[in-house]
Amino acid sequence: MPQILPPNANTFARWTIIGGVIFVILLVISLTAFARISRNRVGVPVAQPVGFQHSLHAGELGIDCRYCHNVVEVSAYSHVPPTEVCMTCHSQIRVGTPQLAAVYESWETGTPIAWNRVHKLADFVYFNHSAHINSGIGCNHCHGRVDQMSAIWKAEPMTMGWCLECHRNPARYVRPREEVFNLAYEYPANQLEIGAQLVEAYNINADALANCSICHR
Amino acid sequence: MAVRRGIQETNRVIAPGQTYAGVDDRVNRPILQNLTRSPIWWFLGFGVGFFFLMVYLYSVTTLIIRGVGIFGNNVPVAWAMPIVNFVWWIGIGHAGTLISAILLLFRQDWRTSINRFAEAMTLFAVVCAGMYPILHLGRPWLFYWLFPYPNTYGMWPQFRSPLDWDVFAISTYASVSALFWFIGLVPDLATLRDRAQNRFVKLFYGTLALGWRGSAKHWQRYQRAYLLLAALSTPLVLSVHSTIALDFAYSQVPGWNNTIMPPYFVAGAVFAGFAMVLILAIPLRYAFGLQNLITKKHLDNCAKVMLATGMIVVYGYIIELFIAWYSGVEFERYMAYNRLFGDFAWAFWALILCNAVAIQPLWSRRVRQSQVALFIISLIVSVGMWLERYVIVIVTLMRDFLPSSWGNYYPTVFDWSLFIGSMGLFLTLWFVFIRLLPTVATSEIKELVHHDMHHSGHDDDHDAPTHRAQPEVS
């Protein structure tokens, strides 16, 4: 009987070992990339029933964030404004434009506009907006430059690791309370110093912030 | 003289008059036969195993669809048959590693004939056992959270929990056992490759044999690696079952929080494992006609180890009861009372009957040489060691600190079908193994044959080269 494995089996055997290593590396890289892209959808604009432009309202017109999202300072849940808030202006302004059809329909029928949620946390996460606003965490820190977005997308991944990054080092991200709604705020060069003072002043208990019960109640 | 020779014959590890080719014919020829010409017992055995494997898969599917509540577990008894069976299976595996690794360190040549199938038994028992820690989870699809890996949650496993140590213990045990087994197989796979006639069979074994040529360098490195792995497996096997013992001993439950648990669990594992080795070896030597290679000496030695570890287990029972009384703690005393006279006292007394009483005939040489007796005693021990885990896990949990949290436990049909199904998984793997791979390590047996042919009659060490003059002792 001739040789059972031909000489080119050597190459095959060698490449099986090298290829195995390469395969594992590629698998890890692609799984990581897949996790980033598919789960988080950072930077992907979400289609809405009404083409609401934050860049127009908060950017050009300079409306304060709290005009529409008015319970963000006092409530755990920062709500989406009801149709009535739209109608405070649009009962007079640009009446009848096709872009606003869904708003008028909602006003006439009494059915709320079915906005598509962009920042969806799992129900086992209890997120409290007012706690962050009152502790000097600015809107743009988590939501990005909303005043420059024509359609809303996620600026940050909203993963638990990302949350914990700040909860473990709040001094790196805390800003003065009066700057919270300033979307153009930039952290100063001596942020760590100022942040430490603010953590002290706002009574932020950094040691307990990464405990399970803070979010998973 | 005749009497003396008779005793010597039974004391031999392999029957006299073996040749290299004879060993190969005995072990390797049945494997290389056409699959359709397999003996009828093989088809029957594989069929039974495969049927129960389907029962297993049905139970697992039902478990995943309907949830972990299909088991009879309840709130005081949240660990029940899945854990009992897990500890039972993993215990069975330990004898295989004891035979292949610990006996190698002690240079026991009687391990040679039984190590291959004992290691296979280990591997398949670990497969059966390793499924339970996943299947008993309420959300088995999240089992990978038990592994430390960088993730977007910023979470790591709790390294203080023995249940996480279990993950490391079992995954290490499974991979090291598989590696050890495969390294031992490589020279034998090369033999199969060279003896095979069919091209595809040759290619199959040739690929698995990784180009083994049997050169002096190969053998030198092989021996080194084998011994190193044996030295690594020995502490591994002792720590794996100790880790599993810590699942219980780490808790505060009276009857679990015993410091004797780790060595006592390891002894129990070897005890149950040797029982399983005997259950498998006795039919195997008939099925393949291996009586000349797996001799009565092996059965006798296995029975002795079983007796020795069995007596350690009996010591464990006595110490548990003694300490329960000696502690002066009412919960400990009640635990002992509940085991001896409670609602589930039958389990304890059946366990004593199986593990303490049934092994006593093994003191007699005649019983150790009788295969029927050994087979029956091994079956009884397997049942007894299952009952031991039943008593430790379930009967203990039924009654602990708060009488308002006392309960009972009754297994459901799925508790049983998963257990019997896991035996199907074991049997399926076992029958595939004995059909495809040599059940006996032929290359190591040939060393014994070599020793018999060239060194019989004088007691010199095998490694001492006979052609060189012995150094003068002054």
Side-chain angles (χ1 to χ4, degrees), chain B residues 178-303:
Chain B
L179 197 65
F180 196 27
W181 186 61
F182 181 68
I183 287 180
L185 267 170
V186 165
D188 287 0
L189 289 166
T191 309
L192 283 166
R193 170 197 64 196
D194 296 341
R195 288 180 69 100
Q197 299 298 318
N198 183 303
R199 210 183 116 71
F200 292 101
V201 176
K202 237 180 162 45
L203 199 65
F204 174 72
Y205 291 114
T207 312
L208 286 177
L210 305 175
W212 177 266
R213 295 189 311 278
S215 73
K217 207 182 238 177
H218 278 181
W219 279 111
Q220 198 253 352
R221 288 179 179 163
Y222 168 88
Q223 298 282 11
R224 189 74 45 93
Y226 207 57
L227 196 63
L228 267 176
L229 269 175
L232 280 172
S233 302
T234 303
L236 182 66
V237 72
L238 297 180
S239 58
V240 166
H241 216 68
S242 297
T243 303
I244 286 149
L246 290 176
D247 292 347
F248 306 102
Y250 221 61
S251 77
Q252 303 173 356
V253 180
W256 281 9
N257 191 346
N258 294 338
T259 49
I260 197 180
M261 286 290 217
Y264 156 62
F265 260 54
V266 172
V270 175
F271 181 45
F274 267 89
M276 189 56 94
V277 167
L278 284 170
I279 290 173
L280 295 173
I282 291 168
L284 190 71
R285 65 200 287 268
Y286 277 107
F288 282 108
L290 298 172
Q291 289 93 333
N292 286 336
L293 302 179
I294 305 176
T295 59
K296 290 208 167 173
K297 168 93 173 162
H298 292 104
L299 305 183
D300 188 69
N301 280 354
C302 285

Side-chain angles (χ1 to χ4, degrees), chain B residues 386-431:
Chain B
W386 188 85
L387 283 169
E388 184 200 299
R389 278 70 179 245
Y390 189 90
V391 168
I392 289 175
V393 177
I394 298 175
V395 179
T396 307
L397 283 177
M398 283 178 195
R399 305 273 188 279
D400 58 10
F401 295 113
L402 269 182
S404 61
S405 302
W406 285 359
N408 280 331
Y409 168 79
Y410 302 100
T412 63
V413 66
F414 286 105
D415 279 310
W416 289 112
S417 68
L418 195 71
F419 181 42
I420 293 166
S422 69
M423 292 182 187
L425 173 60
F426 181 89
L427 280 181
T428 308
L429 292 168
W430 173 257
F431 277 99

Side-chain angles (χ1 to χ4, degrees), chain A residues 100-116:
Chain A
L100 291 168
V103 176
Y104 295 120
E105 196 193 318
S106 162
W107 179 248
E108 278 153 25
T109 60
T111 314
I113 302 169
W115 295 105
N116 289 320

Side-chain angles (χ1 to χ4, degrees), chain B residues 44-58 420-421 424-425 428:
Chain B
L44 277 175
F46 180 78
V48 170
F50 193 76
F51 172 76
F52 285 105
L53 175 63
M54 292 301 114
V55 172
Y56 183 71
L57 293 180
Y58 173 76
I420 293 166
L425 173 60
T428 308

Side-chain angles (χ1 to χ4, degrees), chain A residues 1 4-5 159-161 164, chain B residues 152-153 155 197 199 202-203:
Chain A
M1 193 177 263
I4 187 71
L5 288 159
T159 56
M160 185 168 134
L164 285 175
Chain B
T152 58
Y153 313 119
M155 294 289 289
Q197 299 298 318
R199 210 183 116 71
K202 237 180 162 45
L203 199 65

Side-chain angles (χ1 to χ4, degrees), chain A residues 160-203:
Chain A
M160 185 168 134
W162 174 80
C163 296
L164 285 175
E165 154 72 8
C166 183
H167 273 212
R168 285 180 173 140
N169 313 291
R172 278 164 68 179
Y173 305 105
V174 173
R175 64 178 77 165
R177 273 179 188 146
E178 52 277 16
E179 299 289 351
V180 162
F181 297 99
N182 173 11
L183 297 181
Y185 182 81
E186 301 223 343
Y187 293 109
N190 59 344
Q191 167 62 25
L192 281 182
E193 209 178 297
I194 293 174
Q197 288 165 12
L198 290 174
V199 163
E200 190 74 27
Y202 297 161
N203 220 355

